[in-house]
Amino acid sequence: MQNRASWRSSADLYSRFVVPALLLLLTLAALAWPPMRWLAFVTLPLLAVALWDFVQKKHTLRRNYPLIARFRWLMEDFRPYFRSYLIESDLEGRPFNHDQRALIYARSKGQLDSHPFGTELDVYSEEYEWLGHSIAPTADAPHEWRCQVGSDQCSRPYSASLLNISAMSFGSLSANAIMALNRGAASGGFYHDTGEGGISRYHKSHGGDLVWELGSGYFGCRNKDGTFDPGMFAENAQGETVRMIEVKLSQGAKPGHGGVLPGSKVTEEIAEARGVSVGEDCISPPGHSAFSTPIEMVEWCAKLRDLSGGKPVGLKLCVGQPHEVMAIAKAMLQTGITVDYIVVDGGEGGTGAAPVELSNRVGMPMREGVIMMRNVLVGTGLKPQIRIAAAGKVHSGAGLAMNFGLGADWSNAGRAFMFALGCVQSMKCHTDECPTGVATQDATRQRGLVVMDKGERVARFQRHTLHGLREIVIAMGLDDPWQIQPHHIGERFNSVRSDSMDQFYRFLKPGVLLDDPDSTQYARHWKAASAETFRMV
């Protein structure tokens, strides 16, 4: 045993210093033999790095394994690519697997998107779901459907496409990416959500329809102290391309979390869009300062609608505590003020950067969130006035159909449109080193993203995805996607038991929360909800 331990110690010592020793020998040989002196230009810098690693005191691995420890970092940098292209199966990758990305790439490029030899999915696994088709498919389904957004209190309703670009700010995405997305939206007739970073010059570059998202930082309509500025809001909200206003309460990837864009990253262009000074920290508090109760919130939304000239005003949130959603509904019932739409973001949603604890463990997944929002609005009789949008990892016509079946009126996608721009899921969004120029402010990296080409890819992906939805609606024998109901969706409980979605989740009947809340699964949440506060009562 002692001999074996001694051998291992010697082998480890050899492995630690064999590369620096070999470099030293090669350098000496190159310097001594004139025909090989060119080799010293390679070995001397590497030897200098090895010597520096040996004497530096910040990194243990580099100090113990000069030079060769750096290969660990190299492998870490290339790991996402090796894993995605060489190791993972077509269905293993996260957040999006190879098959999902390949579908988006094919549709955005106008390439063949059919699949041979049958499904690769395990149809007996607990993750499998399906949509029920009909023996009598629809013969003459419309080629396009749109969703009318705007309650009775809205004087300028908007006709929304069934798939739109989810909220992604300039700053998190590059200028070229924003311009390409807007060009695609203009070409395809769908909307482009600005994200909470304000309306930049790039959002207006091609005249695509915009949904202006207002976060807690009120970028683009804020006073010096960060509070809401009604005059500045009215000026920007009445712009020709702004079609709707969206008040962001939370987002799926980091719900309940504010943010800070350091002043060092606030360029002239970002400062212009956000209404701050160059070099000034951009602070997004966790909560809004314009309101503190559900009643104040809906009254503020009504004010925004008036200031915008009657355009639809909606909310965006990742559902957290159920009683808060019901408090919002009670506030609308008590005041008679309704918002025009609600975007439900799922806990599986993406962002440029977020604490991993929040991304992994905080926020309700989109399915449960959409079902709860649908149940609250239907159960309180508010649904005829308020549309629901689903946002969270949708990328296909089947995903759109599932969302309709759960209660959504349309869907938004973020990362799917990033893939259409050329994103390769390198997981470097937060480093400013995006290799495809999508999520970076580095001009040299943005150069690779050609706006005219990628704009067409964005429009093509959206068009073909809606075509996929239409094919599903036809196969199901329905006249429009809003006819898809929970009983049309099959869900597997385990390998030997399956049933329709309405047997796994309870879907409320109209008005039941007003007439008989104790008969519902939300009785305790309904009792704890108050229009006067977001806290439990």
Side-chain angles (χ1 to χ4, degrees):
M1 291 292 291
Q2 196 170 15
N3 289 337
R4 183 178 298 177
S6 176
W7 177 83
R8 285 179 178 171
S9 177
S10 299
D12 181 65
L13 186 66
Y14 173 79
S15 67
R16 289 163 57 183
F17 295 106
V18 63
V19 172
L22 183 61
L23 284 173
L24 178 60
L25 290 174
L26 287 174
T27 302
L28 293 174
L31 293 175
W33 190 27
M36 291 292 290
R37 281 183 182 166
W38 62 268
L39 186 60
F41 288 101
V42 177
T43 59
L44 271 173
L46 292 176
L47 184 60
V49 171
L51 291 173
W52 169 246
D53 285 350
F54 183 74
V55 299
Q56 60 80 37
K57 299 179 180 179
K58 290 185 178 180
H59 299 279
T60 303
L61 278 177
R62 284 167 52 199
R63 190 172 173 84
N64 287 342
Y65 298 87
L67 190 63
I68 59 175
R70 293 177 178 267
F71 284 98
R72 172 180 176 271
W73 296 342
L74 186 66
M75 297 306 293
E76 283 281 351
D77 285 341
F78 284 101
R79 183 172 180 267
Y81 306 103
F82 289 142
R83 183 179 61 202
S84 177
Y85 300 128
L86 301 176
I87 300 171
E88 292 174 349
S89 75
D90 291 345
L91 304 175
E92 283 181 344
R94 303 287 185 188
F96 288 79
N97 63 43
H98 178 271
D99 274 5
Q100 291 168 334
R101 301 197 306 272
L103 176 65
I104 298 170
Y105 294 146
R107 286 180 168 171
S108 67
K109 296 174 183 178
Q111 296 174 348
L112 188 67
D113 61 359
S114 10
H115 187 275
F117 226 65
T119 181
E120 296 179 55
L121 302 175
D122 181 357
V123 299
Y124 296 103
S125 73
E126 294 178 14
E127 295 184 357
Y128 189 70
E129 302 166 348
W130 66 94
L131 293 153
H133 66 283
S134 172
I135 293 175
T138 308
D140 52 355
H143 286 279
E144 181 184 20
W145 298 282
R146 297 188 74 87
C147 180
Q148 190 79 352
V149 188
S151 65
D152 291 343
Q153 299 167 17
C154 175
S155 60
R156 296 176 64 182
Y158 175 68
S159 177
S161 175
L162 303 190
L163 177 61
N164 303 280
I165 301 170
S166 197
M168 294 183 286
S169 303
F170 168 60
S172 61
L173 295 193
S174 69
N176 282 15
I178 293 293
M179 287 191 287
L181 289 172
N182 195 258
R183 185 176 188 276
S187 173
F190 50 97
Y191 75 67
H192 179 190
D193 194 311
T194 65
E196 65 175 313
I199 306 172
S200 71
R201 64 182 77 168
Y202 305 112
H203 284 103
K204 298 182 284 189
S205 59
H206 293 280
D209 289 351
L210 296 177
V211 170
W212 182 14
E213 183 178 85
L214 292 186
S216 57
Y218 307 119
F219 297 122
C221 56
R222 56 184 271 143
N223 296 306
K224 283 292 184 181
D225 61 357
T227 56
F228 175 68
D229 184 333
M232 190 180 297
F233 170 80
E235 181 180 350
N236 287 320
Q238 292 179 22
E240 183 181 351
T241 57
V242 177
R243 304 300 184 184
M244 300 198 293
I245 310 300
E246 184 174 294
V247 178
K248 174 191 166 185
L249 303 179
S250 60
Q251 70 181 91
K254 49 181 179 180
H257 187 271
V260 178
L261 181 65
S264 60
K265 295 185 177 180
V266 180
T267 63
E268 182 180 344
E269 295 168 322
I270 291 176
E272 175 189 278
R274 300 196 176 201
V276 299
S277 300
V278 176
E280 176 185 321
D281 289 347
C282 285
I283 300 174
S284 297
H288 282 260
S289 60
F291 57 84
S292 59
T293 70
I295 287 179
E296 289 178 357
M297 187 189 73
V298 298
E299 289 176 342
W300 187 62
C301 288
K303 180 180 179 181
L304 296 180
R305 190 158 48 206
D306 291 340
L307 290 171
S308 70
K311 295 176 181 179
V313 174
L315 306 173
K316 173 190 171 181
L317 76 162
C318 176
V319 177
Q321 301 185 34
H323 78 275
E324 294 179 346
V325 175
M326 296 172 197
I328 295 172
K330 285 187 174 182
M332 288 191 280
L333 292 169
Q334 186 170 320
T335 61
I337 299 170
T338 58
V339 296
D340 299 293
Y341 66 97
I342 298 176
V343 178
V344 179
D345 198 10
E348 65 271 45
T351 187
V356 68
E357 295 90 348
L358 270 74
S359 289
N360 286 349
R361 299 297 178 188
V362 180
M364 190 177 291
M366 185 185 68
R367 170 181 293 173
E368 283 76 6
V370 169
I371 292 173
M372 175 166 289
M373 188 61 68
R374 177 261 176 213
N375 279 345
V376 170
L377 296 182
V378 170
T380 55
L382 291 168
K383 184 62 183 71
Q385 294 294 319
I386 303 172
R387 300 288 180 259
I388 297 175
K393 213 175 173 181
V394 65
H395 74 284
S396 67
L400 294 175
M402 295 281 186
N403 290 346
F404 277 104
L406 300 177
D409 294 294
W410 80 85
S411 293
N412 294 338
R415 286 167 293 180
F417 281 105
M418 290 174 66
F419 289 132
L421 289 173
C423 167
V424 294
Q425 195 169 280
S426 65
M427 310 296 280
K428 291 183 176 291
C429 308
H430 60 304
T431 66
D432 204 35
E433 296 176 358
C434 170
T436 58
V438 176
T440 179
Q441 297 305 304
D442 185 332
T444 62
R445 294 175 185 271
Q446 290 188 49
R447 178 183 173 278
L449 198 161
V450 179
V451 172
M452 301 304 284
D453 173 62
K454 296 302 191 288
E456 181 54 37
R457 284 179 54 163
V458 166
R460 197 182 292 120
F461 161 69
Q462 194 262 5
R463 182 170 64 251
H464 287 311
T465 303
L466 288 184
H467 176 74
L469 171 66
R470 180 176 180 270
E471 294 287 289
I472 289 173
V473 172
I474 290 172
M476 295 177 73
L478 305 176
D479 296 320
D480 62 61
W482 294 280
Q483 291 181 350
I484 302 174
Q485 296 298 314
H487 65 262
H488 290 121
I489 305 174
E491 174 83 359
R492 186 167 287 288
F493 181 75
N494 55 40
S495 61
V496 295
R497 182 190 167 197
S498 64
D499 214 324
S500 58
M501 191 71 77
D502 59 342
Q503 298 303 307
F504 290 100
Y505 295 92
R506 293 177 63 186
F507 292 83
L508 300 190
K509 295 181 179 179
V512 68
L513 282 175
L514 302 179
D515 301 332
D516 188 15
D518 289 339
S519 67
T520 73
Q521 68 270 36
Y522 303 118
R524 63 191 176 95
H525 302 300
W526 183 256
K527 290 176 182 177
S530 169
E532 308 290 341
T533 178
F534 285 109
R535 303 293 184 186
M536 284 186 173
V537 297

